[in-house]
Amino acid sequence: MANDSLRIVLIGPPGSGKGTQAPNLVKKFGAGHLATGDMLRSQVAKKTELGIKAKKIMDEGGLIPDDTMVNMIESELENNPACKNGFILDGFPRTIPQAEKLDAMLAKKNIPLQKAVELKIDDELLVARITGRLVHPASGRSYHKLFNPPKVAGKDDITGELLIQRSDDNEGALKKRLVNYHKQTEPIVDYYAKTGIWAAVDASQAPKNVWSDVLKYLGQH
Ligand code: AMP
């Protein structure tokens, strides 16, 4: 991986728009999109040993153990050809230990993080976003029944394949995911603020305005 490539982390609660903004970054910078939730869902779909264990935790809105997640990311960084031009981490790190282990791993490879972008939004706005969300499992593309409907109801715009509602996209699991977010993930904002690579973007705006703020922060606007 060249060390002038884009290397960033997207931080934000479920429904804040990480999965909407990441493809914009992929398109503009050609970096690999590593969404740990998508990787785990693919393990669940394949019914691997990890997938079977992860499903229960995910459906309850819990977190997968740190070491499992760190190893997953390390293996992607080493083997995924999409990451040779950098990476966009979406959903990882989610805890301070994950952030520390990521920093140590990247320092060893001499490819430190450049930016940590927080998509900041109030919890009250997330229920409507999450309960109306539809996703295309193979690509991670997401839609919303009201705010961003697919061209044909229930089908992915690009492949025409069926969209699904995630089993953890319900009000009960969301509540737990938000509690975990505030308790375990939000502290990483301070962690990155201390190293000077953090910036917050108002994620309650329309996606195109969020994108333009992200670009501004990356010095591209
Ligand atoms: P997401 O698609 O990012 O909302 O992730 C869905 C679920 O996968 C989360 O609610 C967690 O159960 C699990 N998960 C994803 N990324 C991580 C991570 N970095 N650490 C622990 N659990 C994770």
Side-chain angles (χ1 to χ4, degrees):
M1 194 184 299
N3 56 8
D4 60 349
S5 51
L6 181 78
R7 299 183 302 276
I8 73 167
V9 167
L10 294 178
I11 308 165
S16 58
K18 303 186 295 296
T20 300
Q21 298 302 326
N24 295 336
L25 289 161
V26 172
K27 210 164 149 197
K28 181 152 179 87
F29 297 97
H33 177 200
L34 301 182
T36 42
D38 288 349
M39 291 174 202
L40 288 166
R41 279 184 289 280
S42 129
Q43 298 285 320
V44 172
K46 289 190 217 144
K47 297 196 167 64
T48 62
E49 200 181 322
L50 167 62
I52 292 165
K53 279 194 206 141
K55 179 163 175 39
K56 194 169 175 300
I57 299 174
M58 291 164 79
D59 282 349
E60 287 169 354
L63 290 181
I64 310 301
D66 290 333
D67 282 341
T68 307
M69 300 312 301
V70 172
N71 292 340
M72 190 180 278
I73 287 293
E74 183 153 35
S75 152
E76 285 292 317
L77 291 178
E78 284 171 3
N79 304 310
N80 184 339
C83 294
K84 68 179 193 302
N85 290 322
F87 52 81
I88 297 136
L89 298 181
D90 160 359
F92 180 94
R94 243 179 170 96
T95 63
I96 292 280
Q98 290 181 18
E100 289 171 344
K101 286 177 182 169
L102 174 68
D103 272 351
M105 180 202 309
L106 297 178
K108 241 195 270 163
K109 298 182 195 297
N110 201 22
I111 47 168
L113 278 178
Q114 298 160 325
K115 309 274 184 194
V117 180
E118 181 190 6
L119 299 179
K120 211 171 164 60
I121 182 165
D122 287 343
D123 288 4
E124 301 84 80
L125 298 174
L126 297 173
V127 178
R129 286 191 179 193
I130 286 291
T131 54
R133 178 155 75 175
L134 295 169
V135 295
H136 176 239
S139 67
R141 266 187 292 283
S142 63
Y143 300 83
H144 190 280
K145 285 178 193 161
L146 301 175
F147 310 147
N148 176 30
K151 291 185 187 129
V152 177
K155 302 236 170 106
D156 178 46
D157 286 354
I158 296 177
T159 62
E161 289 166 350
L162 281 183
L163 300 176
I164 59 144
Q165 178 148 36
R166 279 170 46 171
S167 53
D168 58 347
D169 275 353
N170 58 69
E171 252 187 279
L174 176 64
K175 254 193 203 143
K176 291 189 195 131
R177 287 157 72 197
L178 286 175
V179 167
N180 272 331
Y181 180 77
H182 293 303
K183 217 166 79 188
Q184 313 238 56
T185 307
E186 224 160 37
I188 70 175
V189 162
D190 279 342
Y191 176 89
Y192 290 125
K194 281 189 192 128
T195 63
I197 65 167
W198 161 81
V201 166
D202 174 4
S204 69
Q205 307 176 88
K208 67 173 189 340
N209 298 334
V210 176
W211 174 230
S212 113
D213 283 358
V214 169
L215 280 180
K216 244 184 252 164
Y217 173 53
L218 297 179
Q220 300 283 319
H221 225 39

